[in-house]
Amino acid sequence: MPSFSGFARLPSFSKVHWYQSFLQSPFRPETESIFSTAQNFLSGNSLPVMKFIHSSDLHLGKPFGRFPEDVRVRLRQARADVLPRLASLARSHAASHVLLAGDTFDQMTPAPSVIRQALNMMRAADHVTWVLMPGNHDHANATELWRQVAQDAPANVALQLTPEPFALNAQATLLPAPPAERHPGRDLTDWYNSAATAETLRIGLAHGSVTDFDSSEEGASSVIAPDRARRAGLHYLGLGDWHGQLQIGPVTWYSGAPEADGFKHAQTPSALLVEIAGKTAPARVTSLPTGTINWQRVTLDLAGDDNRNTAHEAVLPPLPERALTLFDLIVTGRAGPLDRVALEQEIAKVTPDFLWHRADLGELGLVHDTADLDAIDQQGALRAAAEALAQEAADNSLSPVARATAQSALSHLFSFALEA
């Protein structure tokens, strides 16, 4: 079958011949986008002049220090595996480039193995050009990092360490705005307005927060005008720094991180497929899921008369998803001591299902009556201790910490009594 390369420049009769040959060739999933493109052309629709994947904030080598070692290993590997997933998306959608808008690496000095293995994955995906721009975590003045990247980078990796136009192809020019420090505190995209790009498409790539809201994950790392695309006549402006996918303007997008690294963002981690048919055509942007690890923070609010088993089961993800889920359960409301102990036992039962599980019952208020205390003892020292703790847990004159401590102690006392 003839190559798809240069299809747009073929005369009409050659395009028909190419399409006929395509139909006679074995069909593979990765050719689906090419098949669609050929159909669009023959039906009178325009071919995309530029098609690329926009992603950012991979944070390769992120330590995830607050988790146990086995969980940290899984999380770091999931981030490394993003690169083959992006390459696969590029292939299946016939995208020529993957644009990474900063923070590809989590630190200025990642381990040499993190750098080398990332570049090896990019080398293996030689059907696509990888465009790497520094962010604030791996800014352009991290000289040793970028020296090693430049030294080991394969031919299909293009580093953007300076703010100057870069030809993506004959039809499109990239305008990168790489940060040179952790918190530049100024708009690094100012130069876009006067950048000379001849008659090509103008595509911006920047890292930082826009000025009308704080989109930065860790304080403003840059200040980008939200209408920069309009001012500079851009056909697309790809942003990094905000880890949730977000559209700022008609052609301005944060791609979001392709793998979640916290509970902050509710969206499914994704990359963006960007298709631009011509200088007067609007960019077509499609979100493509990329995440494999689920981060879920759920609030379980109990009333005193709630069925705790039913309420707890209702907030749990399906069993097949739990092995790849970090589950942060926050329990609020009010429950009797026996119900609290039973809930703790239910939580302990399901905890091994998850990649990681935490349950915070600190905001769960305690309601009790004499029958509850009878479960501990009807008289004697244990009963006296239980009554004293119950009074402290309900005493609003005490500090929240003191009440929570008394409540926790009473819960433990019930647990011991029930086990005995």
Side-chain angles (χ1 to χ4, degrees), residues 37-191:
T37 300
Q39 280 188 316
N40 285 340
F41 180 86
L42 292 174
S43 64
N45 297 327
S46 297
L47 282 170
V49 171
M50 188 67 195
K51 188 189 290 192
F52 58 88
I53 301 291
H54 166 208
S55 188
S56 69
D57 298 282
L58 276 65
H59 287 272
L60 299 177
K62 188 177 178 74
F64 293 104
R66 65 189 175 114
F67 296 104
E69 178 59 23
D70 61 327
V71 177
R72 294 201 296 267
V73 170
R74 294 289 295 278
L75 294 176
R76 288 194 294 267
Q77 188 59 50
R79 304 196 83 73
D81 291 343
V82 160
L83 292 168
R85 287 200 295 276
L86 293 175
S88 177
L89 289 174
R91 181 185 294 277
S92 62
H93 292 278
S96 58
H97 293 70
V98 174
L99 307 186
L100 299 180
D103 285 357
T104 299
F105 302 99
D106 185 63
Q107 308 165 38
M108 294 171 57
T109 55
S113 59
V114 171
I115 302 172
R116 180 67 64 81
Q117 290 169 22
L119 293 174
N120 287 346
M121 291 179 186
M122 295 178 190
R123 186 190 309 274
D126 58 3
H127 59 282
V128 68
T129 297
W130 300 83
V131 179
L132 273 64
M133 188 191 75
N136 61 319
H137 282 251
D138 56 3
H139 59 71
N141 275 332
T143 52
E144 180 56 27
L145 163 61
W146 295 111
R147 183 200 65 77
Q148 185 178 343
V149 173
Q151 173 183 295
D152 296 342
N156 63 326
V157 170
L159 301 185
Q160 302 302 308
L161 305 181
T162 56
E164 56 187 29
F166 172 77
L168 293 170
N169 59 24
Q171 293 83 30
T173 300
L174 182 73
L175 304 178
E181 54 188 310
R182 185 67 179 262
H183 301 293
R186 61 188 179 85
D187 190 347
L188 300 178
T189 67
D190 272 341
W191 73 279

